[in-house]
């Protein structure tokens, strides 16, 4: 461990943490409309190029063309959703984008499988051949089909590792690495779409639009996931200054760097951290800032929940760090001004601790944990509460008799004006689900509840 660096974790930043709303609340609905409008435009390719559909073979082949077009469009959309475009991330929220990406991935895989089955079946009826024989002809004799077949297997692999049962058995790092197969699958399938798609052959305008869509998606990934982090690493020169134990399996990592105010990181946001140490350099994991950003320091507080997070306790001062971000919409400027209630479960206290220090108005914070030792950062929370005249409550499962009920009645008894407060929520899935149910039953407007989760 290094000596204390002199960083004051409770120092209020000079940059204002609250401003006008970042985006209209209708933005998610607008993005949905835009996505479905794009799908309708893609279907217009099939409609414009189809004069008539005759017989079972025609219907099956037509359905195969439609599902193929939609699968190609869905692949471009899901790549954009995970390109880490700052504007999208800070307005829609990282967890919402992740849910959209997961749903889009399920749509894409289903469309790919349907496209394969319907096309082979329709061609088999047209050629009066068996399905297996027709499959062999398509794979071996049609242009770009060998690469498309490889893409098909990669899509299936992605679907398997993304299934809930398989996901629970894989570490985040392994899942993330296997998930990169999606990029290879999209790349391998692209040529097949233009070479074999009846809606593209001889249609220069359609080809140009398809190229523009895919090149735009690729440019966003290249810029925001590779070039921007590289530029940020060279500019800010982040290094580990100190690793400080905070509780059982919990450490705070203090990171120093240059011109950190240029990151414009807001309380409640997170970055994706890549520590250039053995066993850690190849993956970037999301950790929230557990204190307001300082022009010279950033701090994260991490609980050992996996191999990557556990290894942070062994980091040495001087270790180089790459950080992508900031990301996330769990910030004060996305809420109405006034009073707020902050509900934290376990290590979910980290983004809320930063908000607790900086948000204006009347604040109440409730922190649930298993034992008193798990109430990390309690000393800081008490100091902040005393300085600003806020209230903070702690609830533990052990010893018995010190738990606050996470129910509608329990919350309204603790916070009588609950319905008029903005609510910020962060914790493990079970806790946030119970809190969401309690808030709904207490009549809290869902638009007043602000939540972000890293569960994948």
């Amino acid at each position: 461990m290094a000596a204390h660096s002199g960083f004051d974790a409770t120092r209020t930043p000079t940059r204002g943490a609250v401003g006008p709303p970042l985006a209209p609340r209708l933005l998610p609905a607008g993005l949905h409309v835009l996505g479905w409008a794009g799908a309708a435009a893609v279907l217009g390719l099939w409609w414009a190029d189809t004069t008539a559909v005759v017989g079972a073979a025609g219907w099956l082949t037509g359905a195969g063309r439609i599902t193929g077009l939609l699968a190609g469009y869905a692949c471009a959309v899901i790549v954009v959703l995970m390109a880490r475009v700052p504007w999208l991330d800070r307005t829609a929220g990282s967890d919402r984008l992740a849910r959209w990406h997961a749903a889009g991935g399920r749509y894409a895989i289903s469309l790919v499988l349907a496209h394969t089955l319907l096309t082979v079946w329709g061609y088999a009826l047209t050629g009066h051949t068996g399905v297996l024989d027709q499959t062999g002809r398509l794979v071996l004799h049609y242009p770009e089909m060998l690469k498309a077949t490889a893409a098909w297997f990669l899509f299936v692999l992605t679907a398997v590792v993304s299934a809930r049962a398989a996901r629970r058995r894989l570490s985040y790092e392994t899942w993330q690495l296997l998930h990169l197969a999606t990029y290879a699958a999209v790349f391998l399938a692209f040529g097949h779409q233009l070479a074999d798609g009846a809606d593209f052959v001889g249609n220069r305008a359609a080809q140009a639009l398809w190229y523009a869509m895919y090149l735009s998606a690729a440019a966003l990934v290249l810029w925001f996931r590779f070039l921007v982090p590289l530029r940020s690493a060279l500019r800010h020169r982040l290094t580990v200054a100190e690793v400080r134990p905070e509780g059982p399996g919990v450490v705070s990592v203090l990171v120093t760097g240059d011109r950190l105010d240029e990151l414009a990181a807001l309380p409640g946001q997170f970055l994706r951290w890549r520590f250039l140490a053995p066993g850690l350099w190849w993956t970037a994991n999301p950790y929230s800032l557990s204190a307001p950003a300082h022009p010279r320091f950033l701090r994260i507080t991490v609980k050992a929940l996996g191999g990557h997070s556990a290894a942070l306790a062994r980091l040495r001062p001087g270790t180089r760090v790459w950080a992508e971000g900031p990301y996330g919409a769990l910030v004060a400027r996305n809420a109405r001004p006034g009073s707020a209630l902050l509900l934290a479960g376990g290590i979910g206290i980290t983004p809320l601790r930063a908000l607790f220090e900086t948000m204006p108005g009347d604040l109440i914070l409730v922190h649930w944990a298993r034992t008193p030792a798990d109430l990390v950062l309690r000393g800081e929370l008490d100091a902040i509460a005393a300085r600003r005249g806020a209230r903070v409550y702690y609830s533990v499962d052990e010893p018995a008799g010190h738990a606050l009920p996470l129910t509608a009645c329990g919350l309204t008894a603790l916070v009588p004006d609950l319905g008029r407060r903005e609510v910020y929520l962060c914790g493990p899935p079970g806790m946030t689900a119970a809190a969401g149910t309690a808030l709904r039953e207490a009549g809290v407007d869902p638009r007043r509840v602000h939540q972000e989760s890293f569960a994948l």
Side-chain angles (χ1 to χ4, degrees), residues 153-383:
F153 281 105
L154 289 174
F155 277 126
V156 172
L157 172 65
T158 303
V160 170
V161 300
S162 298
R164 190 177 300 275
R167 175 67 188 93
R168 286 197 296 263
R169 291 171 170 79
L170 295 174
S171 68
Y172 171 79
E173 295 78 21
T174 301
W175 173 86
Q176 189 180 51
L177 184 63
L178 291 173
H179 214 65
L180 294 178
T182 305
Y183 291 118
V186 171
F187 174 76
L188 290 170
F190 180 75
H192 150 69
Q193 297 174 62
L194 298 183
D196 300 317
D199 304 286
F200 296 105
V201 175
N203 189 338
R204 293 295 182 87
Q207 292 177 16
L209 288 173
W210 216 247
Y211 266 111
M213 180 174 66
Y214 271 79
L215 288 175
S216 297
L220 290 174
V221 171
L222 177 64
W223 180 252
F224 289 112
R225 297 199 64 163
F226 295 97
L227 297 181
V228 168
L230 176 60
R231 183 186 64 176
S232 179
L234 296 175
R235 182 164 183 80
H236 299 298
R237 303 181 63 83
L238 298 176
T239 58
V240 173
E242 180 184 359
V243 179
R244 182 189 309 162
E246 301 285 3
V250 180
V251 296
S252 285
V253 181
L254 229 61
V255 176
T256 62
D258 300 331
R259 297 183 289 269
L260 299 186
D261 54 328
E262 295 178 4
L263 291 173
L266 296 175
Q269 291 188 311
F270 69 94
L271 292 89
R272 297 182 184 273
W273 302 85
R274 187 185 304 273
F275 297 92
L276 305 187
L280 296 176
W281 63 268
W282 56 279
T283 185
N285 283 27
Y287 299 119
S288 295
L289 295 173
S290 60
H294 183 279
R296 290 284 302 170
F297 299 93
L298 298 173
R299 190 185 77 175
I300 58 174
T301 302
V302 181
K303 184 177 180 63
L305 298 174
H308 188 280
S309 53
L312 299 192
R314 301 189 294 273
L315 285 172
R316 295 181 178 276
T319 300
R320 294 293 302 273
V321 184
W322 286 20
E324 305 172 35
Y327 301 115
L330 192 70
V331 295
R333 67 181 187 182
N334 278 349
R336 303 177 180 90
S339 57
L341 170 65
L342 283 62
L343 303 178
I347 200 62
I349 188 62
T350 53
L352 300 189
R353 180 256 176 258
L355 286 169
F356 191 50
E357 178 177 343
T358 57
M359 288 183 68
D362 175 32
L363 298 187
I364 298 175
L365 184 147
V366 188
H367 187 192
W368 280 269
R370 191 173 62 85
T371 69
D374 296 314
L375 294 170
V376 297
L377 307 179
R378 180 172 182 174
E380 295 180 16
L381 296 173
D382 289 339

